[in-house]
Amino acid sequence: MKIAFQFYDKKNYSGGPAVNAVRLLTEFQNRGHEVHALISYSGDYPNARLLMDAGIQCHLTELHKFTEDAVMWFMKEIEKAQPDIFVTNISCQAGFSAKWIMKAGIPCIIAHRSDDKRNWGLATYFASTNYGFKHSGVICVNNYLKSVLEHQIGDHPPIKVIPSGVAESKFKTDQKNWKPIKFVYSGRLLEGQKRVSEMLAAFKLILKHNFHAELTLIGSDSDETTRCYERKTLSLGIEDSVRILPKKTNEDYKRELSKNHILLLMSDYEGLPGSVMDGMSCGLIPVVLKFNGVEDLIINGYNGIVLTDRSYSFVDAVELLEQNLELRIKLSTNAVATIENNFTTKIAADLWESFMRDCITHSIPKRHFKKPQIIELPQTNPLLVEDKRKPTLLKKIKNHFTN
């Protein structure tokens, strides 16, 4: 297959969609597919360089100020590549371009990657028949997202659950030696979704309960971010027990993860976090705050611990694990098996290949795509917030579902 795939990039970016794209597209390339990565970037494109190093064709553009310009750029690149399928992924602008691209028999797939307003608006809009931009298919990263989306949209395209995949790890943690207990968080260092400051406060509770513990944060995107969180650790009085590292990749990343015992995640919401899967592949015990869809990956007491809050249920979980070596070994062993049996990059690529072939089979016959000279985009939209300037600048997607 000739596959076009969109993702975003920026300086020191460690976000899940980009990391997953690098892994998945490299696997596609290794399987003999012709891969075209359509990448909108801000300032720099480190993840794109990883793909270029692997010999993958990358089509690069700086983020466009106006939606119309971005839509036309996507269609221009599709005209050059003439792919068999286009994964518009999480791009609203690429999603708009699909309306014209699909008329040439090139099916388009949107991705639903997280339980937040933007992703819900994106998936709802481009899966629905109501707005004129319905896609050929939708990928959801967990079953919760799929079930709610199906409930919200009556006449929807095929929807497939395909979690992000991770590489198996040759580096494994030692769960026997817990002196000190080593925690790690991996991912973007920010508030909002990730609640890193609240996670640091929760870690302080561990120290207050006289556990000998250390915490490593992996994923700082700048010296400024590092200094910000160093100040936060200083204000909490835990600076001697916390270290902050930049993003790591490939074997360096797995090696660093394997030095720890527990993978922490205390986000308000997630899709199906690759950082947790990476930790589990190294035998780390995931200790995560409950989020919608967590049960796809973690069964509490079988391959990890699911918390009900960021305070005393966390302390209780650590105390339970610290006192029970047999439980630690069980959770660690089952965590590795969960990844190797269900969540590897190869398994994810198998699912993607099958779904893409189905979308191609059910599409109209392919013909040469030629970018139109004129396009018309919606000026008003119940799911989108407009900028007052013209032409329309679509900035942010609203929530469009109710529980």
Side-chain angles (χ1 to χ4, degrees), residues 44-197:
D44 194 14
Y45 41 86
N47 293 288
R49 280 195 291 274
L50 294 174
L51 291 179
M52 287 187 278
D53 289 344
I56 292 172
Q57 300 180 61
C58 292
H59 307 244
L60 298 167
T61 184
E62 290 194 80
L63 287 172
H64 290 90
K65 184 177 181 181
F66 296 107
T67 294
E68 287 84 349
D69 296 335
V71 173
M72 294 301 283
W73 179 82
F74 279 112
M75 289 195 290
K76 180 184 72 173
E77 299 307 311
I78 293 297
E79 183 177 355
K80 291 178 185 176
Q82 296 295 325
D84 299 315
I85 194 160
F86 180 27
V87 180
T88 64
N89 201 14
I90 56 171
S91 169
C92 179
Q93 294 86 0
F96 281 133
S97 74
K99 176 178 180 178
W100 291 273
I101 293 168
M102 289 171 60
K103 290 178 181 178
I106 301 172
C108 295
I109 298 173
I110 198 78
H112 190 6
R113 295 191 174 276
S114 189
D115 186 20
D116 67 300
K117 292 180 179 180
R118 183 191 185 281
N119 278 280
W120 273 112
L122 190 78
T124 303
Y125 187 83
F126 290 111
S128 174
T129 58
N130 295 335
Y131 310 105
F133 293 90
K134 180 181 176 182
H135 277 48
S136 311
V138 183
I139 293 296
C140 294
V141 296
N142 69 42
N143 282 286
Y144 169 80
L145 299 178
K146 178 178 184 285
S147 64
V148 176
L149 185 61
E150 287 177 332
H151 177 72
Q152 292 298 319
I153 302 174
D155 180 17
H156 56 74
I159 303 174
K160 180 77 171 179
V161 175
I162 306 182
S164 301
V166 301
E168 297 180 35
S169 177
K170 67 181 182 182
F171 303 102
K172 296 293 189 290
T173 187
D174 177 9
Q175 291 291 354
K176 295 179 181 178
N177 180 14
W178 263 42
K179 293 184 180 180
I181 309 170
K182 295 184 178 181
F183 299 85
V184 63
Y185 163 83
S186 176
R188 291 170 294 159
L189 300 186
L190 49 79
E191 303 309 312
Q193 174 192 1
K194 300 297 184 179
R195 301 293 184 187
V196 174
S197 290

Side-chain angles (χ1 to χ4, degrees), residues 180-297:
I181 309 170
K182 295 184 178 181
F183 299 85
V184 63
Y185 163 83
S186 176
R188 291 170 294 159
L189 300 186
L190 49 79
E191 303 309 312
Q193 174 192 1
K194 300 297 184 179
R195 301 293 184 187
V196 174
S197 290
E198 292 183 45
M199 182 179 65
L200 291 172
F203 178 68
K204 180 177 181 177
L205 281 177
I206 297 298
L207 299 178
K208 285 181 66 175
H209 281 74
N210 298 317
F211 290 104
H212 183 198
E214 298 173 354
L215 171 61
T216 299
L217 307 178
I218 302 175
S220 178
D221 60 3
S222 65
D223 291 341
E224 181 181 358
T225 299
T226 298
R227 288 192 295 270
C228 171
Y229 282 98
E230 284 176 344
R231 289 193 294 270
K232 290 182 185 295
T233 63
L234 189 63
S235 68
L236 290 167
I238 60 174
E239 68 278 7
D240 292 336
S241 300
V242 179
R243 63 178 185 144
I244 303 172
L245 302 177
K247 172 188 173 182
K248 292 183 177 292
T249 58
N250 301 326
E251 286 197 353
D252 288 342
Y253 178 43
K254 298 282 193 173
R255 185 183 293 109
E256 187 63 45
L257 286 174
S258 69
K259 297 175 183 177
N260 301 278
H261 304 112
I262 290 176
L263 190 291
L264 277 184
L265 186 68
M266 296 188 176
S267 304
D268 276 349
Y269 57 86
E270 289 287 345
L272 211 64
S275 62
V276 174
M277 289 188 272
D278 277 314
M280 292 170 70
S281 75
C282 298
L284 275 67
I285 299 168
V287 176
V288 306
L289 188 68
K290 181 176 175 58
F291 60 85
N292 291 326
V294 67
E295 61 278 359
D296 280 16
L297 179 62

Side-chain angles (χ1 to χ4, degrees), residues 277-333:
M277 289 188 272
D278 277 314
M280 292 170 70
S281 75
C282 298
L284 275 67
I285 299 168
V287 176
V288 306
L289 188 68
K290 181 176 175 58
F291 60 85
N292 291 326
V294 67
E295 61 278 359
D296 280 16
L297 179 62
I298 301 171
I299 300 173
N300 189 44
Y302 171 75
N303 59 2
I305 302 292
V306 179
L307 304 175
T308 57
D309 58 57
R310 297 184 182 94
S311 54
Y312 290 102
S313 74
F314 177 39
V315 175
D316 290 344
V318 174
E319 184 175 19
L320 174 66
L321 292 170
E322 195 267 344
Q323 294 176 356
N324 194 329
L325 172 60
E326 183 179 350
L327 177 60
R328 299 201 304 264
I329 299 298
K330 169 192 167 184
L331 297 179
S332 175
T333 301

